Short mmCIF file of all heavy atoms in Angstrom, two decimals:
data_model
loop_
_atom_site.label_atom_id
_atom_site.label_comp_id
_atom_site.label_asym_id
_atom_site.label_seq_id
_atom_site.Cartn_x
_atom_site.Cartn_y
_atom_site.Cartn_z
N LYS D 219 15.96 34.52 -18.54
CA LYS D 219 16.37 35.52 -19.57
C LYS D 219 16.87 34.90 -20.83
O LYS D 219 16.54 35.33 -21.93
CB LYS D 219 17.56 36.31 -18.91
CG LYS D 219 18.17 37.32 -19.92
CD LYS D 219 19.38 38.04 -19.24
CE LYS D 219 20.12 38.93 -20.22
NZ LYS D 219 21.27 39.58 -19.68
N HIS D 220 17.68 33.75 -20.70
CA HIS D 220 18.16 33.12 -21.89
C HIS D 220 17.19 32.04 -22.52
O HIS D 220 17.54 31.52 -23.61
CB HIS D 220 19.48 32.41 -21.53
CG HIS D 220 20.55 33.30 -21.10
ND1 HIS D 220 20.96 34.43 -21.81
CD2 HIS D 220 21.45 33.24 -20.05
CE1 HIS D 220 21.96 35.03 -21.18
NE2 HIS D 220 22.25 34.33 -20.13
N GLY D 221 16.07 31.85 -21.87
CA GLY D 221 15.12 30.87 -22.38
C GLY D 221 15.66 29.53 -22.39
O GLY D 221 15.30 28.61 -23.21
N LEU D 222 16.35 29.12 -21.28
CA LEU D 222 16.96 27.84 -21.11
C LEU D 222 16.13 27.06 -20.06
O LEU D 222 15.55 27.60 -19.20
CB LEU D 222 18.43 27.96 -20.70
CG LEU D 222 19.32 28.61 -21.64
CD1 LEU D 222 20.73 28.74 -21.04
CD2 LEU D 222 19.39 27.82 -22.94
N SER D 223 16.21 25.74 -20.16
CA SER D 223 15.57 24.89 -19.17
C SER D 223 16.48 23.69 -18.90
O SER D 223 17.43 23.41 -19.58
CB SER D 223 14.22 24.33 -19.73
OG SER D 223 14.47 23.55 -20.92
N LEU D 224 16.23 23.09 -17.69
CA LEU D 224 17.01 21.96 -17.25
C LEU D 224 16.44 20.68 -17.87
O LEU D 224 15.22 20.60 -18.09
CB LEU D 224 17.05 21.91 -15.70
CG LEU D 224 17.50 23.16 -14.98
CD1 LEU D 224 17.35 22.97 -13.50
CD2 LEU D 224 18.92 23.53 -15.39
N GLY D 225 17.19 19.61 -18.02
CA GLY D 225 16.71 18.43 -18.58
C GLY D 225 17.42 17.22 -18.04
O GLY D 225 18.24 17.33 -17.12
N GLY D 226 17.23 16.12 -18.58
CA GLY D 226 17.85 14.91 -18.29
C GLY D 226 17.67 14.61 -16.74
O GLY D 226 16.54 14.60 -16.29
N GLY D 227 18.74 14.23 -16.06
CA GLY D 227 18.62 13.86 -14.70
C GLY D 227 18.83 14.99 -13.71
O GLY D 227 19.09 14.71 -12.55
N ILE D 228 18.68 16.20 -14.20
CA ILE D 228 18.88 17.38 -13.29
C ILE D 228 17.60 17.71 -12.53
O ILE D 228 16.53 17.89 -13.21
CB ILE D 228 19.34 18.66 -14.16
CG1 ILE D 228 20.63 18.37 -14.96
CG2 ILE D 228 19.45 19.88 -13.26
CD1 ILE D 228 21.04 19.52 -15.78
N ARG D 229 17.67 17.73 -11.23
CA ARG D 229 16.57 18.07 -10.41
C ARG D 229 16.81 19.35 -9.63
O ARG D 229 17.75 19.35 -8.83
CB ARG D 229 16.28 16.84 -9.44
CG ARG D 229 15.22 17.18 -8.46
CD ARG D 229 15.20 15.94 -7.45
NE ARG D 229 15.02 16.39 -6.08
CZ ARG D 229 15.29 15.60 -5.07
NH1 ARG D 229 15.73 14.39 -5.24
NH2 ARG D 229 15.14 16.07 -3.81
N PRO D 230 16.03 20.36 -9.91
CA PRO D 230 16.22 21.61 -9.10
C PRO D 230 15.86 21.48 -7.65
O PRO D 230 14.88 20.83 -7.37
CB PRO D 230 15.36 22.68 -9.89
CG PRO D 230 14.43 21.90 -10.70
CD PRO D 230 14.94 20.51 -10.86
N ILE D 231 16.60 22.13 -6.76
CA ILE D 231 16.33 22.09 -5.29
C ILE D 231 16.50 23.49 -4.79
O ILE D 231 17.25 24.31 -5.40
CB ILE D 231 17.01 21.11 -4.44
CG1 ILE D 231 18.62 21.47 -4.45
CG2 ILE D 231 16.92 19.64 -4.91
CD1 ILE D 231 19.43 20.63 -3.57
N PRO D 232 15.76 23.89 -3.73
CA PRO D 232 15.98 25.28 -3.27
C PRO D 232 17.34 25.50 -2.61
O PRO D 232 18.00 24.55 -2.29
CB PRO D 232 14.83 25.39 -2.25
CG PRO D 232 14.54 24.01 -1.77
CD PRO D 232 14.76 23.12 -2.97
N ARG D 233 17.74 26.70 -2.68
CA ARG D 233 19.04 27.04 -1.96
C ARG D 233 18.94 26.68 -0.51
O ARG D 233 17.85 27.11 0.17
CB ARG D 233 19.33 28.45 -2.12
CG ARG D 233 20.66 28.89 -1.56
CD ARG D 233 20.94 30.37 -1.89
NE ARG D 233 19.89 31.28 -1.51
CZ ARG D 233 19.97 32.64 -1.60
NH1 ARG D 233 21.12 33.17 -2.08
NH2 ARG D 233 19.05 33.36 -1.21
N LEU D 234 19.86 25.99 0.02
CA LEU D 234 19.74 25.46 1.44
C LEU D 234 20.69 26.28 2.33
O LEU D 234 21.62 26.93 1.86
CB LEU D 234 20.33 24.03 1.45
CG LEU D 234 19.56 23.01 0.56
CD1 LEU D 234 20.24 21.68 0.61
CD2 LEU D 234 18.10 22.86 1.03
N ASP D 235 20.35 26.30 3.63
CA ASP D 235 21.28 26.91 4.68
C ASP D 235 22.58 26.13 4.69
O ASP D 235 22.65 24.94 4.19
CB ASP D 235 20.57 27.09 5.94
CG ASP D 235 20.30 25.75 6.69
OD1 ASP D 235 21.24 24.96 6.95
OD2 ASP D 235 19.07 25.45 6.84
N PHE D 236 23.57 26.71 5.26
CA PHE D 236 24.89 26.09 5.32
C PHE D 236 24.81 24.73 5.95
O PHE D 236 25.36 23.71 5.39
CB PHE D 236 25.92 26.93 6.08
CG PHE D 236 27.23 26.39 6.32
CD1 PHE D 236 28.16 26.16 5.24
CD2 PHE D 236 27.56 25.99 7.59
CE1 PHE D 236 29.36 25.53 5.46
CE2 PHE D 236 28.89 25.45 7.76
CZ PHE D 236 29.66 25.30 6.75
N PHE D 237 24.17 24.55 7.07
CA PHE D 237 24.15 23.28 7.82
C PHE D 237 23.49 22.21 6.92
O PHE D 237 24.01 21.08 6.79
CB PHE D 237 23.46 23.39 9.09
CG PHE D 237 24.26 24.13 10.22
CD1 PHE D 237 24.67 25.40 10.07
CD2 PHE D 237 24.58 23.38 11.33
CE1 PHE D 237 25.44 26.03 11.07
CE2 PHE D 237 25.34 23.94 12.27
CZ PHE D 237 25.74 25.29 12.19
N SER D 238 22.37 22.52 6.28
CA SER D 238 21.70 21.62 5.41
C SER D 238 22.55 21.19 4.20
O SER D 238 22.57 20.05 3.69
CB SER D 238 20.29 22.13 5.01
OG SER D 238 19.52 22.31 6.17
N PHE D 239 23.21 22.29 3.63
CA PHE D 239 23.99 22.00 2.41
C PHE D 239 25.17 21.05 2.73
O PHE D 239 25.44 20.18 1.88
CB PHE D 239 24.51 23.33 1.82
CG PHE D 239 25.12 23.20 0.48
CD1 PHE D 239 24.46 22.63 -0.63
CD2 PHE D 239 26.38 23.69 0.30
CE1 PHE D 239 25.06 22.51 -1.81
CE2 PHE D 239 27.07 23.56 -0.96
CZ PHE D 239 26.40 22.99 -1.99
N VAL D 240 25.77 21.23 3.90
CA VAL D 240 26.85 20.40 4.25
C VAL D 240 26.37 18.96 4.42
O VAL D 240 27.01 18.03 3.98
CB VAL D 240 27.61 20.84 5.49
CG1 VAL D 240 28.59 19.88 6.06
CG2 VAL D 240 28.28 22.21 5.24
N ALA D 241 25.21 18.81 4.99
CA ALA D 241 24.61 17.47 5.20
C ALA D 241 24.34 16.73 3.90
O ALA D 241 24.60 15.56 3.67
CB ALA D 241 23.31 17.55 5.98
N VAL D 242 23.98 17.55 2.84
CA VAL D 242 23.78 16.99 1.53
C VAL D 242 25.10 16.69 0.81
O VAL D 242 25.24 15.54 0.25
CB VAL D 242 22.89 17.95 0.61
CG1 VAL D 242 22.82 17.50 -0.85
CG2 VAL D 242 21.52 18.11 1.21
N MET D 243 26.09 17.61 0.94
CA MET D 243 27.38 17.39 0.34
C MET D 243 28.04 16.07 0.90
O MET D 243 28.76 15.35 0.14
CB MET D 243 28.33 18.53 0.54
CG MET D 243 28.07 19.64 -0.38
SD MET D 243 29.49 20.83 -0.51
CE MET D 243 29.57 21.47 1.18
N ARG D 244 27.93 15.87 2.19
CA ARG D 244 28.63 14.73 2.79
C ARG D 244 28.01 13.40 2.24
O ARG D 244 28.72 12.37 2.35
CB ARG D 244 28.29 14.73 4.28
CG ARG D 244 29.23 15.72 5.06
CD ARG D 244 28.81 15.83 6.54
NE ARG D 244 29.76 16.64 7.29
CZ ARG D 244 29.57 17.17 8.48
NH1 ARG D 244 28.33 16.92 9.07
NH2 ARG D 244 30.37 17.90 9.14
N ARG D 245 26.86 13.42 1.67
CA ARG D 245 26.21 12.17 1.10
C ARG D 245 26.37 12.18 -0.45
O ARG D 245 25.84 11.17 -1.05
CB ARG D 245 24.75 12.11 1.56
CG ARG D 245 24.57 11.86 3.03
CD ARG D 245 23.28 12.25 3.58
NE ARG D 245 23.10 11.87 4.95
CZ ARG D 245 23.52 12.60 6.00
NH1 ARG D 245 24.26 13.70 5.74
NH2 ARG D 245 23.30 12.22 7.21
N SER D 246 26.92 13.20 -1.04
CA SER D 246 26.94 13.27 -2.47
C SER D 246 28.26 12.63 -2.99
O SER D 246 29.20 12.31 -2.22
CB SER D 246 26.92 14.73 -2.92
OG SER D 246 28.06 15.44 -2.60
N GLY D 247 28.33 12.47 -4.28
CA GLY D 247 29.54 11.89 -4.97
C GLY D 247 30.41 12.88 -5.49
O GLY D 247 31.68 12.57 -5.59
N PHE D 248 29.97 14.10 -5.85
CA PHE D 248 30.79 15.17 -6.36
C PHE D 248 29.99 16.45 -6.44
O PHE D 248 28.79 16.50 -6.24
CB PHE D 248 31.35 14.76 -7.80
CG PHE D 248 30.23 14.58 -8.84
CD1 PHE D 248 29.71 15.62 -9.61
CD2 PHE D 248 29.59 13.29 -8.99
CE1 PHE D 248 28.71 15.44 -10.51
CE2 PHE D 248 28.56 13.08 -9.90
CZ PHE D 248 28.13 14.16 -10.68
N LEU D 249 30.80 17.54 -6.72
CA LEU D 249 30.21 18.84 -6.82
C LEU D 249 30.81 19.57 -7.98
O LEU D 249 31.94 19.59 -8.24
CB LEU D 249 30.46 19.75 -5.54
CG LEU D 249 30.10 21.11 -5.49
CD1 LEU D 249 28.51 21.29 -5.40
CD2 LEU D 249 30.65 21.88 -4.29
N VAL D 250 29.86 20.16 -8.79
CA VAL D 250 30.30 21.09 -9.88
C VAL D 250 29.82 22.51 -9.48
O VAL D 250 28.66 22.77 -9.15
CB VAL D 250 29.62 20.77 -11.16
CG1 VAL D 250 29.93 21.78 -12.28
CG2 VAL D 250 30.07 19.35 -11.63
N THR D 251 30.80 23.47 -9.36
CA THR D 251 30.45 24.72 -8.77
C THR D 251 31.31 25.87 -9.42
O THR D 251 32.38 25.58 -9.94
CB THR D 251 30.67 24.71 -7.21
OG1 THR D 251 30.23 25.98 -6.65
CG2 THR D 251 32.14 24.51 -6.90
N ASP D 252 30.86 27.05 -9.23
CA ASP D 252 31.77 28.20 -9.57
C ASP D 252 32.03 29.06 -8.34
O ASP D 252 32.45 30.21 -8.44
CB ASP D 252 31.10 29.09 -10.68
CG ASP D 252 29.70 29.51 -10.34
OD1 ASP D 252 29.21 29.28 -9.28
OD2 ASP D 252 29.02 30.10 -11.28
N SER D 253 31.82 28.43 -7.20
CA SER D 253 32.11 29.16 -5.89
C SER D 253 33.41 28.72 -5.34
O SER D 253 33.72 27.55 -5.11
CB SER D 253 30.93 28.76 -4.89
OG SER D 253 31.34 29.08 -3.61
N GLY D 254 34.27 29.71 -4.99
CA GLY D 254 35.51 29.50 -4.37
C GLY D 254 35.33 29.03 -2.97
O GLY D 254 36.10 28.10 -2.51
N GLY D 255 34.29 29.40 -2.31
CA GLY D 255 33.96 28.89 -0.88
C GLY D 255 33.64 27.43 -0.93
O GLY D 255 34.12 26.67 -0.14
N SER D 256 32.89 27.00 -1.98
CA SER D 256 32.54 25.60 -2.07
C SER D 256 33.79 24.75 -2.49
O SER D 256 33.85 23.56 -2.03
CB SER D 256 31.41 25.38 -3.16
OG SER D 256 30.20 25.99 -2.63
N GLN D 257 34.64 25.37 -3.26
CA GLN D 257 35.93 24.66 -3.53
C GLN D 257 36.64 24.30 -2.27
O GLN D 257 37.18 23.18 -2.02
CB GLN D 257 36.82 25.55 -4.42
CG GLN D 257 38.16 24.98 -4.62
CD GLN D 257 39.15 25.94 -5.32
OE1 GLN D 257 38.76 26.88 -5.96
NE2 GLN D 257 40.45 25.79 -5.09
N GLU D 258 36.70 25.25 -1.36
CA GLU D 258 37.42 25.03 -0.04
C GLU D 258 36.65 24.00 0.79
O GLU D 258 37.31 23.09 1.40
CB GLU D 258 37.48 26.34 0.72
CG GLU D 258 38.36 27.40 0.04
CD GLU D 258 38.14 28.78 0.64
OE1 GLU D 258 37.03 29.07 1.13
OE2 GLU D 258 39.10 29.53 0.56
N GLU D 259 35.32 24.06 0.79
CA GLU D 259 34.53 23.07 1.57
C GLU D 259 34.85 21.64 1.06
O GLU D 259 35.03 20.73 1.87
CB GLU D 259 33.03 23.39 1.46
CG GLU D 259 32.73 24.69 2.13
CD GLU D 259 31.38 25.18 1.78
OE1 GLU D 259 30.67 24.52 0.93
OE2 GLU D 259 30.97 26.31 2.23
N THR D 260 34.86 21.52 -0.27
CA THR D 260 35.13 20.11 -0.77
C THR D 260 36.50 19.65 -0.46
O THR D 260 36.68 18.41 -0.30
CB THR D 260 34.87 20.07 -2.30
OG1 THR D 260 35.81 20.98 -3.04
CG2 THR D 260 33.51 20.42 -2.76
N TYR D 261 37.49 20.54 -0.33
CA TYR D 261 38.85 20.09 -0.01
C TYR D 261 38.84 19.51 1.38
O TYR D 261 39.37 18.44 1.60
CB TYR D 261 39.80 21.35 -0.13
CG TYR D 261 41.20 21.02 0.42
CD1 TYR D 261 41.99 20.11 -0.30
CD2 TYR D 261 41.63 21.59 1.58
CE1 TYR D 261 43.34 19.85 0.19
CE2 TYR D 261 42.89 21.27 2.07
CZ TYR D 261 43.75 20.48 1.41
OH TYR D 261 45.00 20.11 1.83
N TYR D 262 38.24 20.20 2.32
CA TYR D 262 38.22 19.72 3.68
C TYR D 262 37.30 18.54 3.91
O TYR D 262 37.57 17.70 4.84
CB TYR D 262 37.89 20.88 4.65
CG TYR D 262 38.98 21.95 4.73
CD1 TYR D 262 38.75 23.19 4.15
CD2 TYR D 262 40.24 21.71 5.22
CE1 TYR D 262 39.68 24.18 4.04
CE2 TYR D 262 41.17 22.62 5.14
CZ TYR D 262 40.93 23.87 4.64
OH TYR D 262 41.94 24.88 4.57
#
């Protein structure tokens, strides 16, 4: 809608199920999100 595209080192990936997303988060360095649920996940 806004005519925007991703660039630089940003790589789009499909939305993952909860189990797969947690497996990815456990191996990541950080998360940028606007989800309150994901905020809680990163805390634990």
Side-chain angles (χ1 to χ4, degrees):
K219 174 184 176 181
H220 296 313
L222 298 175
S223 60
L224 306 175
I228 301 179
R229 174 184 137 199
I231 63 172
R233 186 173 55 172
L234 302 172
D235 65 64
F236 173 70
F237 282 65
S238 298
F239 187 56
V240 171
V242 174
M243 280 200 297
R244 284 172 172 166
R245 291 160 176 79
S246 70
F248 59 92
L249 176 69
V250 174
T251 185
D252 52 10
S253 165
S256 292
Q257 173 190 336
E258 293 164 337
E259 290 165 6
T260 61
Y261 174 69
Y262 295 109

